[in-house]
Amino acid sequence: EPVDTHTNGLDEAAAGRAAACLFRGMSDPSRVAILRHLLLGEHNVAELTAHLGLAQSTVSKHLACLRDCGLVDSRPAGRASVFSLTHPEAVLKVFAAAEELLAATGDAVVLCPNYGEGTA
């Protein structure tokens, strides 16, 4: 049966856009820190704020982004909300893959003129 390359091209393009959206959602160091901390278990905003040394408004803004991306969920706990990862195993795999790729490239991305630490 012949393969419809036009349809596959669209599926690949859609998959590429979705992956880019995921990586943008995870592209902020504060969001990465929140995700890594939530790998340890669920936390409320005050706990994340204290642990990460970020302003409460910053943590709340990043949690809203991560929730919009489907990476984080919340549930009421008293007067606060408790946040947890929706798919901790998959997040752990992404971080492990990132560490593997960074090791393989000698952390070259840190020096990348487009996305490295020297860029705004």
Side-chain angles (χ1 to χ4, degrees):
E1 206 172 286
V3 175
D4 182 349
T5 54
H6 182 70
T7 303
N8 283 346
L10 288 176
D11 290 347
E12 281 185 35
R17 286 192 302 274
C21 289
L22 173 66
F23 291 136
R24 278 197 298 275
M26 297 178 82
S27 69
D28 184 280
S30 296
R31 288 194 292 272
V32 170
I34 290 169
L35 289 171
R36 284 189 175 277
H37 200 62
L38 289 176
L39 279 168
L40 304 173
E42 57 182 28
H43 290 85
N44 64 33
V45 173
E47 292 165 341
L48 289 168
T49 298
H51 179 78
L52 301 172
L54 299 169
Q56 183 268 324
S57 59
T58 301
V59 170
S60 294
K61 179 185 72 170
H62 287 309
L63 283 168
C65 172
L66 292 168
R67 188 171 44 224
D68 290 345
C69 290
L71 297 171
V72 167
D73 203 1
S74 64
R75 65 172 177 80
R79 295 174 61 177
S81 291
V82 175
F83 293 84
S84 60
L85 296 176
T86 53
H87 305 284
E89 309 82 16
V91 170
L92 193 57
K93 287 179 186 175
V94 168
F95 284 133
E99 288 168 14
E100 182 182 343
L101 187 55
L102 286 167
T105 62
D107 291 346
V109 70
V110 176
L111 303 174
C112 172
N114 294 317
Y115 299 110
E117 290 186 342
T119 60

